[in-house]
Amino acid sequence: MRKDFVIDDDASAEDETAFVERYWTDVWKREGGPKGAYDRIPRKAEYRIMAPFLARLGEGARLLDGGCGLGDWTVYLTRNGYPTTGLDISRKTVAQLGALFPDVTFATGDIRDTGLAADSIDGYFSWGVFEHFEAGLQPCIREALRVLRPGGYLFVSVPMDNLRHAAAGALGGIGANKEPAFGARFYQWRLNRAELARELAIGGFEVLRVKPIHKRQGVLRALHHGLGLHYDWFVSRALSAALAPFIPGNLIAHMVLAVARKPEKRQ
Ligand SMILES: C[S@@+](CC[C@H](N)C(=O)[O-])C[C@H]1O[C@@H](n2cnc3c(N)ncnc32)[C@H](O)[C@@H]1O
């Protein structure tokens, strides 16, 4: 597992939970808040991996979106037959979501201690959230195991420690896993496929699939960090779309997604 750091001017005495909430509330504010951009969900890599398992659970299955951000997944799945609770630590964002989507369930909360009843959820998905605490992923995994019913599915994605990061780390470049000297604080963990599988197995899950995703985003980032090309330049976007299909996921993928199951109770 590899650590990423972020430069934070307000690093002061703020604890990690307060920092995470402030950081993401600011990100979502800069992005203009919830917009209901849920039409794009079925085209997403996460959805294509998740869909067969959702079909197995059947319509009406109760889902949890852990760290729902702008809430697009919560809205889409609720309106397509899967009542979903969107849980997020950002109080302001959750308040906006509640006002915008009164037919959908959103709640402020912490995925390490959700307050939900044990065995009450059929499927739990969380995209890009379990990695945000320096103590590691286990508090999130432990709570996921508690709230899922036996046989329920967990879908989780985290930033991938791909071979580009590993090589850069070995050469002392980005992702070098060393704490930068000044004004930086822990931002997130990156994991490779084996590490994510191991974390879930340690937490008591049966691991069904582990897949690198978002290769195009990985190429975009490599072009930015390696050649200084800006993310929103046409040339960067065109090159990443053209190159991504030919580069192995383990080398370049930006995220890694796992599907796991809570074991059935022994008789
Ligand atoms: C990288 S964003 C991902 C948002 C969303 N899942 C998506 O894919 O667009 C991380 C989100 O998780 C939330 N978050 C971080 N730590 C959390 C925690 N312990 N409990 C609940 N939400 C958390 C943040 O507020 C933020 O909205």
Side-chain angles (χ1 to χ4, degrees), residues 51-135:
F53 296 96
L54 287 184
R56 242 177 260 174
L57 290 175
E59 278 207 12
R62 298 148 303 171
L63 305 182
L64 176 63
D65 181 353
C68 63
L70 297 177
D72 298 337
W73 285 82
T74 312
V75 174
Y76 179 82
L77 287 165
T78 298
R79 292 189 179 165
N80 284 276
Y82 295 93
T84 304
T85 297
L87 188 75
D88 203 281
I89 206 166
S90 168
R91 284 167 288 185
K92 272 194 188 150
T93 312
V94 169
Q96 291 170 338
L97 284 164
L100 210 54
F101 303 106
D103 57 320
V104 181
T105 306
F106 287 102
T108 302
D110 190 322
I111 59 165
R112 296 167 296 177
D113 182 11
T114 61
L116 296 170
D119 299 348
S120 62
I121 300 292
D122 300 303
Y124 177 169
F125 63 94
S126 183
W127 311 139
V129 189
F130 280 30
E131 69 273 14
H132 283 303
F133 292 88
E134 197 164 11

Side-chain angles (χ1 to χ4, degrees), residues 6-236:
V6 65
I7 303 294
D8 179 39
D9 295 336
D10 293 334
S12 60
E14 194 179 42
D15 77 16
E16 196 177 37
T17 302
F19 165 71
V20 169
E21 182 186 359
R22 172 172 61 83
Y23 180 91
W24 284 104
T25 300
D26 289 351
V27 169
W28 301 138
K29 190 173 158 202
R30 278 200 303 277
E31 292 203 4
K35 288 182 275 301
Y38 43 82
D39 291 347
R40 65 207 169 98
I41 301 293
R43 294 193 298 277
K44 297 209 154 233
E46 292 90 336
Y47 187 82
R48 289 201 293 269
I49 294 172
M50 209 179 162
F53 296 96
L54 287 184
R56 242 177 260 174
L57 290 175
E59 278 207 12
R62 298 148 303 171
L63 305 182
L64 176 63
D65 181 353
C68 63
L70 297 177
D72 298 337
W73 285 82
T74 312
V75 174
Y76 179 82
L77 287 165
T78 298
R79 292 189 179 165
N80 284 276
Y82 295 93
T84 304
T85 297
L87 188 75
D88 203 281
I89 206 166
S90 168
R91 284 167 288 185
K92 272 194 188 150
T93 312
V94 169
Q96 291 170 338
L97 284 164
L100 210 54
F101 303 106
D103 57 320
V104 181
T105 306
F106 287 102
T108 302
D110 190 322
I111 59 165
R112 296 167 296 177
D113 182 11
T114 61
L116 296 170
D119 299 348
S120 62
I121 300 292
D122 300 303
Y124 177 169
F125 63 94
S126 183
W127 311 139
V129 189
F130 280 30
E131 69 273 14
H132 283 303
F133 292 88
E134 197 164 11
L137 281 68
Q138 286 306 318
C140 305
I141 295 174
R142 203 177 306 129
E143 179 67 354
L145 191 79
R146 190 186 71 78
V147 298
L148 276 169
R149 61 138 165 103
Y153 293 111
L154 173 66
F155 311 91
V156 58
S157 73
V158 294
M160 175 138 171
D161 189 21
N162 61 36
L163 294 175
R164 181 179 77 84
H165 286 103
L171 297 172
I174 57 146
N177 216 14
K178 282 189 239 118
E179 186 156 6
F182 189 69
R185 64 183 300 160
F186 173 81
Y187 176 58
Q188 64 180 11
W189 289 105
R190 285 184 175 278
L191 285 81
N192 61 34
R193 296 168 77 171
E195 287 166 341
L196 180 55
R198 191 182 62 210
E199 287 291 321
L200 292 168
I202 289 171
F205 278 96
E206 295 166 7
V207 180
L208 307 178
R209 293 195 68 181
V210 186
K211 197 170 159 41
I213 58 169
H214 297 186
K215 286 204 291 180
R216 199 185 287 191
Q217 181 62 222
V219 179
L220 205 53
R221 283 166 187 252
L223 292 172
H224 176 72
H225 291 294
L227 300 176
L229 303 189
H230 282 249
Y231 292 119
D232 48 3
W233 284 355
F234 173 76
V235 64
S236 323

